[in-house]
Amino acid sequence: EIMGYPDFPIPGEGVSYIPAAEMLAFLKSYAKSFGVTSVINFNHHVLRVRPVGQPTEKYTWEVMVKDLPNETLNTLHFDFIFVCNGHYHTPYSPRYPGQDSYRGVITHSHDYRRPEPYKGKAVLVIGAGPSGMDIAYDISKHAERVTLSHHLPETPKTIFPDNVTQRPDPVNFTVDGVVFKDGSRATFDEVLYCTGYRYTFPFLSVDCGITVEENFVQPLYKHCVNINYPTMGFAGLPFYVCACQMIDLQVRFCVKLWTGGVPMPSRKEMIDDTQREMEERFQKRGYKKRHAHMMGPDQGKYYADLAASAGLVPLKPVITKLHNESSQKFLDDLTNFRNEVYKILDDETFIQVK
Amino acid sequence: EIMGYPDFPIPGEGVSYIPAAEMLAFLKSYAKSFGVTSVINFNHHVLRVRPVGQPTEKYTWEVMVKDLPNETLNTLHFDFIFVCNGHYHTPYSPRYPGQDSYRGVITHSHDYRRPEPYKGKAVLVIGAGPSGMDIAYDISKHAERVTLSHHLPETPKTIFPDNVTQRPDPVNFTVDGVVFKDGSRATFDEVLYCTGYRYTFPFLSVDCGITVEENFVQPLYKHCVNINYPTMGFAGLPFYVCACQMIDLQVRFCVKLWTGGVPMPSRKEMIDDTQREMEERFQKRGYKKRHAHMMGPDQGKYYADLAASAGLVPLKPVITKLHNESSQKFLDDLTNFRNEVYKILDDETFIQVK
C-alpha cells in the first residue's frame, strides 16, 4: 500500500508485503508507463558534475559522462539536475581495534543475499536497525547461533529464536571473535556489519558547494535543494521513509520552485529554515549529526511541510500512519508481521484485515 | 631575491624586479635541474580525485585523468596527493545591477596582457589590489582617462598621472557607464575587473571532504593539509606571499608529516589549531571569511609556525622583510619601485643599493 507512487499505486490486493522481485517489476512498469525508460541513457557513467558560472547569475551544469560501451567521454550541459544515488549507496563499517587480526569472515549487509551460507556457523550481527534485525532473524534459521550486538535503549519486543542472543556494542576484535562492552566475549565464524550507509557523491565536484560531514549533507533546503546552487535537487536522501511517496513529493517540490510555480526563497530564508529544523533535531530531539536526514517518526511532518511550502497535493496521511504501524510491528513481532494484510479505507484510515 | 626557492635562488645580480619571461625560464630551469620535468605527464587533464577507503583506516587516492592526445580515460591510484592549482586560477567578478544593459566591454585582469588596446579610451578599473593598481597605472599611459574604483581605507600614496582619478565602489551600471557609491557617475568604454580570484577545485570530488565557502577552503591544517584525509596536501593556497619560498616550505611540511618525520597530529588537534588561528583572524584582526588565506603582514608568522611545527629549516627572515618592504613601496611609489635594486647581506638584513 505505501511503497507505490501517489499517482501509480502498486497493483493487486490481498497482500501487504511484497517480495523484492515484484517491487522491481513495479518500478520498471512505472518507468515504462510514463515514457521514462526510453529517454534514459543506460550504460552512461557520470564522472563529474560542476556548475559553470557564478551562483548569483545564470549558471548551467556541466556533466562529464563516460559512455561505457564506446569508452568515450562526453561533456553535456543542463539547466537543472537531480542527484538520485539514494541513501543506501555506500556501506559504512566502523573499525574496531584488533579487527585486522580477526581470522573469520567480515561482510556488510549491503552484500547479504541469502541465509543458507551461514548453515551451522556462529555469526555476529552488528547493529539492530531494520537490516540487523531482519538478517539476524533470517540467519538464525540456519546458523548454529547468532549474536545481535547493538545499543538500542531497550530490547526489541520481538521474540527471537533460542539460538539468538543480544549483546551490547563490540569493543574490540580478537583472533577468533569479539569482546563486548559488558566485558563478555564470544567466538564467531562470521561477522555481519549491519551498520548502515554513508552518503557519498564521487561524481559531484567540490565546486557544487555540497559537503558531507558525519553523514549530514549540507547546505540543503528541506533535504532536497542545494542552497548554494538551487537548480541542483536531491531526491531520496532522507531515510526511514515511504521512499517512492517521498521522492515523488520532493521532485514535485523542486520542479515547482524551478518553474516559478512558487518563488525560490532567498539564500538567507533557506539557510534560516534549515537551521531552525536542525536546531530542533539536534537540541530538542537529541539527534546526532548522522541523524540529520533520519525521518521515521518525523516523516509525516516533513511531508506536510514540503507540500504546504510549495502548494502541492500532500501525501495521504494514511500512508504515513501505515508506515509507522508497520515499523512498530517490525520491532514488536519480526517473525510474523510480514504475513499481515492491511486495507486502506480512506485518506486517513486503514484497517488490518489479516 | 625573494621569488626563488630556498635551495635554488634566481641567478644574477644587479636587478631586483625581473620580467615575466625571465621568471618562466627560471621555473623551467628549476624543474629540469631537479629532474622533475621528465616525470611530469604533460597533456593529462585531471577529471576527478576521490579517496577510496575510509579516513579512519588505510585509504588511497583514485585519480581519473584524460590523456588529451589519445583521448583516453585512465584511472590511477596514489598514496599521497598535492593539489597545486594555486590561488590565481579562477577569476572572480562581482555582479552589479544594470550590468547586462551596459554596452561597453567588460574584462577581468586575469585576461589582461598589454595596455596598447586601451589607447584613447575611457577605462574603469575596479579594485585596488596589486592588479588594479598596476593595471590602472599601466593603462593610463595610453588611455584618455582611467578611473580606479576601490574601498581602501586610505588613498595610496602613489602619485598617479593626471588622467587617473579615484572613486569609491560602483553601485550600479548604466548603459554607458557606472554610478559610484558617492553618487557620482561617469561613462566608460571599457571596464576592467581587478577583483581577484576564487578557489575552485573542479577535479576534487565532494567525497574528499573539502569545501569552499566565501573563498575559505576547509577543513585545512595550517592552510595545507586536508584534515578529513591528511594524505592530501594543498600547495600554494595562501595569497600575498613569497610564493616559491612558501610552497617549498609547505611541501616540506606535508612530506615530513607523511613520512613520519614528525607524528601526524590527531584530527582534534588539527581542528583546534585551525580554529585558534581563524578566531584570531576573524575576531581580533577583523578579517572576513574571504581573507582566511590572506597572508601579507601575517606571512612571517605563518612561515615560522610551519617550520617550527615540523622541525624544518625555516625561511630566512630577510625574505619576508624584503617582501614587506616591496609591498609597501608598491603602494607608496608604484611608478618607480620596480627600478629599485636590493642586496641581501645576511639572513636578517638587506640593503637598497639603487
Side-chain angles (χ1 to χ4, degrees):
Chain A
E1 285 82 5
I2 62 175
M3 290 181 79
Y5 290 93
D7 57 348
F8 197 84
I10 299 182
E13 260 191 36
V15 57
S16 283
Y17 292 93
I18 63 171
E22 231 169 89
M23 188 63 201
L24 179 61
F26 164 74
L27 292 172
K28 283 184 177 167
S29 79
Y30 172 82
K32 199 174 162 192
S33 151
F34 287 100
V36 176
T37 314
S38 58
V39 296
I40 297 176
N41 284 328
F42 290 101
N43 277 312
H44 280 65
H45 181 58
V46 175
L47 297 183
R48 183 171 101 181
V49 175
R50 69 171 184 129
V52 178
Q54 290 172 25
T56 46
E57 52 187 288
K58 173 106 186 102
Y59 59 91
T60 57
W61 294 101
E62 178 202 81
V63 179
M64 285 188 171
V65 290
K66 189 178 176 187
D67 177 341
L68 295 177
N70 300 314
E71 283 277 323
T72 55
L73 188 69
N74 303 323
T75 302
L76 310 168
H77 289 87
F78 298 93
D79 294 317
F80 302 98
I81 200 156
F82 269 114
V83 177
C84 307
N85 65 333
H87 51 258
Y88 292 149
H89 180 269
T90 306
Y92 169 68
S93 305
R95 297 278 299 178
Y96 297 99
Q99 190 168 327
D100 289 334
S101 65
Y102 173 65
R103 295 207 197 110
V105 178
I106 297 180
T107 326
H108 189 279
S109 58
H110 180 259
D111 303 313
Y112 175 83
R113 290 296 176 275
R114 307 213 41 80
E116 290 82 2
Y118 296 92
K119 191 174 160 61
K121 291 187 174 166
V123 185
L124 171 63
V125 174
I126 303 178
S131 295
M133 297 268 290
D134 238 0
I135 290 176
Y137 174 67
D138 212 20
I139 288 180
S140 70
K141 298 173 209 158
H142 300 266
E144 183 205 319
R145 58 182 166 87
V146 175
T147 298
L148 181 61
S149 159
H150 65 80
H151 50 258
L152 293 181
E154 43 189 305
T155 307
K157 284 188 197 144
T158 282
I159 298 156
F160 282 102
D162 285 346
N163 64 342
V164 177
T165 51
Q166 298 187 40
R167 284 277 174 280
D169 288 341
V171 178
N172 63 272
F173 276 72
T174 61
V175 173
D176 56 1
V178 156
V179 179
F180 298 102
K181 265 199 177 145
D182 59 3
S184 67
R185 53 171 64 213
T187 59
F188 297 102
D189 303 310
E190 302 242 0
V191 175
L192 245 161
Y193 278 96
C194 300
T195 41
Y197 294 81
R198 284 291 171 271
Y199 298 112
T200 63
F201 305 102
F203 49 85
L204 288 191
S205 162
V206 157
D207 294 355
C208 298
I210 288 293
T211 81
V212 187
E213 209 179 314
E214 292 174 42
N215 227 30
F216 180 13
V217 185
Q218 299 185 72
L220 295 182
Y221 175 56
K222 297 196 189 297
H223 304 269
C224 62
V225 175
N226 178 348
I227 294 178
N228 284 324
Y229 292 89
T231 57
M232 170 178 278
F234 287 75
L237 283 194
F239 56 97
Y240 299 167
V241 294
C242 307
C244 291
Q245 301 274 349
M246 177 193 74
I247 289 167
D248 186 278
L249 182 60
Q250 288 181 317
V251 170
R252 283 188 284 138
F253 179 81
C254 291
V255 170
K256 188 96 174 229
L257 293 184
W258 292 345
T259 55
V262 291
M264 179 69 72
S266 72
R267 189 182 153 76
K268 189 177 177 318
E269 284 166 342
M270 293 195 277
I271 288 173
D272 290 350
D273 183 89
T274 303
Q275 202 176 337
R276 266 195 307 274
E277 189 198 341
M278 291 305 161
E279 266 168 21
E280 161 123 9
R281 286 181 162 257
F282 298 145
Q283 278 149 37
K284 291 197 193 145
R285 312 289 304 266
Y287 287 179
K288 296 194 172 149
K289 242 187 192 172
R290 66 172 191 271
H291 303 129
H293 305 293
M294 183 177 81
M295 289 299 159
D298 303 319
Q299 62 178 320
K301 199 177 154 201
Y302 173 57
Y303 305 150
D305 179 42
L306 269 183
S309 304
L312 301 167
V313 176
L315 298 187
K316 295 173 182 171
V318 68
I319 298 291
T320 310
K321 287 179 186 171
L322 190 43
H323 187 243
N324 289 340
E325 161 90 2
S326 167
S327 302
Q328 192 56 49
K329 283 280 173 70
F330 176 89
L331 288 173
D332 292 351
D333 191 11
L334 181 60
T335 50
N336 298 307
F337 85 105
R338 281 200 177 82
N339 300 321
E340 293 170 354
V341 179
Y342 297 94
K343 192 175 166 63
I344 287 178
L345 296 183
D346 58 38
D347 289 358
E348 294 281 349
T349 327
F350 67 86
I351 53 167
Q352 184 174 343
V353 297
K354 191 181 155 192
Chain B
E1 285 81 6
I2 62 176
M3 290 181 80
Y5 290 92
D7 57 349
F8 197 85
I10 299 182
E13 261 190 34
V15 57
S16 283
Y17 292 93
I18 63 172
E22 230 168 272
M23 188 64 202
L24 180 61
F26 165 74
L27 291 172
K28 282 184 179 167
S29 79
Y30 172 82
K32 200 175 162 192
S33 151
F34 287 100
V36 176
T37 314
S38 58
V39 296
I40 297 176
N41 284 327
F42 290 100
N43 277 312
H44 280 65
H45 181 59
V46 175
L47 297 183
R48 182 171 103 181
V49 174
R50 69 171 185 128
V52 178
Q54 290 172 23
T56 46
E57 53 187 287
K58 173 108 186 100
Y59 60 90
T60 58
W61 294 102
E62 178 202 83
V63 179
M64 284 187 171
V65 290
K66 189 177 176 188
D67 176 342
L68 294 177
N70 300 313
E71 283 277 322
T72 55
L73 188 69
N74 302 323
T75 302
L76 310 168
H77 289 87
F78 298 93
D79 294 318
F80 302 98
I81 200 157
F82 269 114
V83 177
C84 308
N85 65 332
H87 52 257
Y88 292 149
H89 180 269
T90 306
Y92 169 69
S93 305
R95 296 278 299 177
Y96 297 99
Q99 191 168 327
D100 288 336
S101 65
Y102 173 64
R103 295 207 198 110
V105 178
I106 297 180
T107 326
H108 189 279
S109 58
H110 180 259
D111 303 313
Y112 175 83
R113 290 296 175 276
R114 306 214 41 81
E116 290 81 2
Y118 296 92
K119 191 174 160 60
K121 291 187 174 167
V123 184
L124 171 63
V125 174
I126 303 178
S131 295
M133 297 268 290
D134 238 0
I135 290 176
Y137 174 66
D138 212 20
I139 288 181
S140 69
K141 299 173 209 158
H142 300 266
E144 184 206 318
R145 58 182 166 87
V146 175
T147 298
L148 181 61
S149 158
H150 66 80
H151 50 259
L152 293 181
E154 43 190 304
T155 307
K157 284 188 198 143
T158 282
I159 298 156
F160 282 102
D162 285 346
N163 64 341
V164 177
T165 50
Q166 298 188 40
R167 284 278 174 280
D169 288 341
V171 178
N172 63 272
F173 276 72
T174 61
V175 174
D176 56 1
V178 156
V179 179
F180 298 101
K181 265 199 178 145
D182 59 4
S184 66
R185 54 172 63 215
T187 59
F188 297 102
D189 303 310
E190 302 243 0
V191 176
L192 245 161
Y193 278 96
C194 300
T195 41
Y197 294 80
R198 284 293 171 269
Y199 298 112
T200 63
F201 304 102
F203 49 85
L204 288 191
S205 162
V206 156
D207 294 355
C208 298
I210 288 294
T211 81
V212 187
E213 209 179 313
E214 293 173 43
N215 227 31
F216 180 12
V217 185
Q218 300 185 72
L220 294 182
Y221 175 56
K222 297 196 189 297
H223 304 270
C224 63
V225 175
N226 178 348
I227 294 178
N228 283 324
Y229 292 89
T231 58
M232 170 178 278
F234 287 75
L237 283 193
F239 55 97
Y240 299 167
V241 294
C242 307
C244 291
Q245 302 274 348
M246 176 193 74
I247 290 167
D248 186 278
L249 183 60
Q250 288 181 318
V251 170
R252 283 187 285 137
F253 179 81
C254 291
V255 170
K256 189 97 175 227
L257 293 184
W258 293 345
T259 55
V262 290
M264 179 69 73
S266 73
R267 188 182 154 75
K268 189 177 177 318
E269 283 166 343
M270 293 194 278
I271 289 173
D272 289 350
D273 183 89
T274 303
Q275 202 176 336
R276 266 194 306 275
E277 188 198 342
M278 291 305 161
E279 266 168 21
E280 161 123 10
R281 285 180 161 258
F282 299 145
Q283 278 149 37
K284 291 197 194 145
R285 312 288 305 265
Y287 287 179
K288 297 196 172 147
K289 242 186 192 173
R290 66 172 191 271
H291 303 130
H293 305 293
M294 184 177 81
M295 289 299 159
D298 303 320
Q299 62 178 322
K301 199 177 154 201
Y302 173 57
Y303 305 151
D305 179 42
L306 269 184
S309 304
L312 301 167
V313 176
L315 298 187
K316 295 174 181 169
V318 67
I319 299 290
T320 310
K321 287 180 186 171
L322 190 43
H323 187 244
N324 289 340
E325 161 90 1
S326 166
S327 302
Q328 192 56 49
K329 282 281 172 68
F330 177 89
L331 288 173
D332 292 351
D333 191 11
L334 181 59
T335 50
N336 298 307
F337 85 106
R338 281 200 177 81
N339 300 321
E340 293 169 354
V341 179
Y342 297 94
K343 191 174 166 64
I344 287 179
L345 296 184
D346 58 38
D347 289 358
E348 295 280 349
T349 327
F350 67 86
I351 53 167
Q352 185 173 342
V353 296
K354 190 183 156 191

